[in-house]
Amino acid sequence: MSHKAASGPNVGDARLGTAVRAARPAPPGTRFRAATSADDAFFAALYVSTRIEELALSGWPEAMQAAFLAQQAAAQQAHYVRHYDDAEWWVLERHGQAIGRLILARWPSQHRIVDIALLPHARRGGLGGTILAGVIAEAEAAGKPVSIHVEKANKAMRLYRRLGFATVEDKGVYDLMLRPAGGAAAVDAADGREAVN
């Protein structure tokens, strides 16, 4: 299902989704730029950085882990391109070096965070929360909720809840989380606590 955005001046690589139509605000000391196909290697490395600890517990030989992670990274990218063809793909940079990405779809009913990820050295310093706050503010200005699929074991789950996201659907390994427009408090069905706005 396509939710194409209005046309306008484009930047970036339309193969990755909707070509970016404007600059995206970034946390202090960083900048967002439109992703291109030249970022494929970075996206693969970013994916590996989010899974390497988990896979290390498998006991598989390193070569097998590397092959599996490369296959999974390619599958994730193909899934995002196929199912979120209307999303904008952004690369977050610090000092000219890629440190993360944001894939964002703006649908008529909501803004969907397709993916948000940071390299390990960029995590736990407030960047993720600042990026999410920017997405939330943008959606609020449009009167729309924000949604995201989050793995149940994701260490950032507490951050999402603190920002007002609540689980609206159990998708097995993932929870579909939604932050309502207007900052209304929501109760998270996963733990029964009220989400803080």
Side-chain angles (χ1 to χ4, degrees):
M1 178 170 171
S2 181
H3 309 273
K4 287 292 184 191
S7 62
N10 295 325
V11 188
D13 188 338
R15 162 185 89 74
L16 297 177
T18 298
V20 175
R21 293 179 288 129
R24 168 152 211 89
T30 66
R31 77 176 191 102
F32 275 111
R33 67 167 174 76
T36 70
S37 56
D39 294 307
D40 286 353
F42 168 68
F43 292 155
L46 182 62
Y47 177 85
V48 168
S49 79
T50 68
R51 297 290 189 210
I52 194 73
E53 288 179 21
E54 172 187 358
L55 198 57
L57 301 175
S58 70
W60 293 356
E62 283 186 31
M64 184 181 287
Q65 289 181 40
F68 178 77
L69 288 169
Q71 182 271 332
Q72 291 294 298
Q76 181 192 61
Q77 176 121 340
H79 175 81
Y80 289 165
V81 168
R82 184 178 316 109
H83 295 285
Y84 298 98
D85 64 332
D86 53 357
E88 294 179 357
W89 291 56
W90 296 95
V91 173
L92 183 67
E93 293 182 328
R94 181 186 283 150
H95 308 298
Q97 297 297 311
I99 61 169
R101 82 167 168 195
L102 172 67
I103 304 174
L104 180 66
R106 293 179 186 87
W107 297 338
S109 63
Q110 63 186 278
H111 286 191
R112 169 66 57 89
I113 300 169
V114 176
D115 190 43
I116 179 172
L118 297 168
L119 289 175
H121 70 274
R123 296 177 198 151
R124 309 234 185 280
L127 281 177
T130 302
I131 293 166
L132 290 168
V135 171
I136 290 167
E138 180 184 323
E140 285 285 327
K144 296 179 184 179
V146 180
S147 64
I148 184 171
H149 286 97
V150 182
E151 282 190 3
K152 290 179 182 347
N154 188 320
K155 294 176 184 176
M157 185 66 84
R158 286 180 38 211
L159 171 62
Y160 291 112
R161 289 187 179 130
R162 192 171 69 242
L163 291 173
F165 287 83
T167 300
V168 294
E169 187 176 350
D170 184 327
K171 299 277 205 169
V173 173
Y174 294 91
D175 282 344
L176 175 58
M177 301 187 82
L178 183 83
R179 185 188 189 279
V187 175
D188 190 316
D191 66 6
R193 294 180 298 162
E194 184 171 277
V196 178
N197 296 315

